[in-house]
Amino acid sequence: MKNYLTQFKPFLIFICTFFAAYIGLTLLYKFYLNSFGPNDVDGITVTVGKNVEQLMQMFNCDIKVHKNRVDSWLEVWYNGKYYVRIVEGCNAVSVIVLFVSFVLAFSGKFKTTLSFILSGVLLIYILNVVRIALLIVLLFNFPEYKHFLHGTLFPLIIYGLVFLLWIFWVNKFSKYAK
């Protein structure tokens, strides 16, 4: 048994670190969400909504994003009519938690790891805001592709970016890179 533990030590350390980080960050986020009332929208989702609105207004889009009066989501009014909603799951925090957990599990030098995590989180956040803005425009113009756009293409884009960041991290900066 001791021989197996020695042989698989790097894998076991990776698994334990990944799950510890993932569970810890998920619980931290859950505590954050629990600080809001049942019909409130959390601050991260509100910020994402504001950033989507700002981005689209830069391109002279007729868009308004505001909180629904009774439920916990943001209404997106596009070209004068209520079109879609932004819910807590749209803020990419779960994707960011997954990204950070993986990078921590394959950590390298402290400064490099921290810099990569911060850069990656920022990149994921920006891509998510762009993703939501594009999704709004595409759903408006191609409503018949709603399931494909929302359920397949755009998740593929954001998870694809995370996967590419992981590959880059493991091959260039992690302690296993050499």
Side-chain angles (χ1 to χ4, degrees):
M1 181 71 164
K2 183 179 178 184
N3 192 22
Y4 285 114
L5 289 176
T6 304
Q7 182 180 357
F8 296 111
K9 183 179 178 183
F11 174 72
L12 295 172
I13 290 172
F14 166 79
I15 290 293
C16 290
T17 306
F18 175 82
F19 281 113
Y22 186 80
I23 291 167
L25 290 170
T26 301
L27 287 174
L28 196 64
Y29 183 55
K30 180 74 173 152
F31 287 131
Y32 166 76
L33 289 177
N34 287 340
S35 70
F36 294 90
N39 294 327
D40 291 336
V41 180
D42 69 277
I44 297 170
T45 304
V46 169
T47 303
V48 168
K50 285 179 183 176
N51 292 152
V52 168
E53 185 176 40
Q54 291 166 341
L55 175 65
M56 292 182 74
Q57 286 174 346
M58 285 174 43
F59 293 96
N60 295 320
C61 293
D62 178 17
I63 184 165
K64 299 283 185 248
V65 178
H66 58 82
K67 190 202 172 305
N68 181 278
R69 290 183 181 146
V70 293
D71 288 310
S72 60
W73 64 66
L74 301 174
E75 293 181 353
V76 177
W77 289 72
Y78 185 64
N79 290 334
K81 49 185 213 184
Y82 172 62
Y83 200 67
V84 295
R85 64 184 180 190
I86 299 174
V87 298
E88 176 271 324
C90 299
N91 66 19
V93 171
S94 61
V95 176
I96 290 169
V97 165
L98 190 64
F99 167 75
V100 170
S101 299
F102 184 88
V103 172
L104 287 174
F106 271 115
S107 63
K109 295 177 182 171
F110 177 77
K111 279 179 136 177
T112 307
T113 302
L114 184 61
S115 296
F116 191 81
I117 287 172
L118 293 175
S119 300
V121 166
L122 182 62
L123 185 61
I124 292 167
Y125 181 87
I126 291 169
L127 179 66
N128 187 55
V129 168
V130 171
R131 175 188 77 94
I132 294 170
L134 286 173
L135 189 57
I136 291 166
V137 172
L138 289 173
L139 287 175
F140 181 80
N141 291 301
F142 304 102
E144 65 274 14
Y145 296 109
K146 178 182 179 179
H147 179 72
F148 173 73
L149 292 170
H150 186 265
T152 305
L153 182 62
F154 284 97
L156 180 65
I157 291 170
I158 199 155
Y159 283 108
L161 170 71
V162 170
F163 181 73
L164 291 175
L165 287 171
W166 286 344
I167 297 298
F168 183 71
W169 171 253
V170 169
N171 288 316
K172 295 289 182 189
F173 299 112
S174 79
K175 60 186 167 194
Y176 301 103
K178 298 173 178 142

